[in-house]
Amino acid sequence: GHVHWFGTDGGYLWNGIETVPVPTGYGEPKLNNLDWVVWWEYDGTDTEIFLYDGSNVKQLSDNEVGDYRPDINDFGHVVWVEFASPNNQIMYYNGSETINITENQSITDSEFPKINNNGYVTWQGRNDGDRDIFLYDGLKVLNITGKRGLSDEYPDINNHNHVVWFGDDGSHDEVFLYNGTDIIQISNRSFNCSAPEINDNGHIAWTQYDGGN
């Protein structure tokens, strides 16, 4: 039940008892169950990734391009997007070093990475024209939607390595689940579905356009 937010005068953490100030920044902050916070912040040249470990702030990236969209697991491992040329890269800080998990991969437009407590990472990207969902299992990168031949976006992952996303079914956007073996279409609505999230019970929530405002 701990909550982090950033106000006009800095970062704050509700620790279940009281609100305390924390030295965090404003760019897409993410909080884990250790009360560690990761975010991006402008360093005077471009945006970089920073990590607060409950005591100290550590700068994780230091380059000449923008770094955005961080996510963190409960071991303090962090992923983010490095907006490099010609292709975005997915970077992974494992607690001691940072590795590029999309290096030497034929993937473009990588975006929106998510990491679970097993160190599995999912994100969206392209390697055949359509947007696909990719999964890094600690050893290799899998394109889990490449055979669908339709656009897939905005994945989320739980600690059972199950991945959800929304994708085109040929007429509008629906929610899909990858259970480690198969892809299952979860929704079948008359309007577009988007932004799904999955918890460790396998429960899935998403937003849905209802045809109104």
Side-chain angles (χ1 to χ4, degrees), residues 179-195:
N179 62 12
T181 305
D182 301 312
I183 293 176
I184 303 167
Q185 183 171 333
I186 300 299
S187 66
N188 186 18
R189 314 299 294 179
S190 300
F191 301 99
N192 286 334
C193 301
S194 64

Side-chain angles (χ1 to χ4, degrees), residues 135 144 158 160-165 176-184 186 198:
L135 180 65
I144 61 178
N158 68 10
H160 299 293
N161 307 324
H162 296 173
V163 181
V164 293
W165 65 92
F176 293 84
L177 167 69
Y178 173 70
N179 62 12
T181 305
D182 301 312
I183 293 176
I184 303 167
I186 300 299
I198 184 170

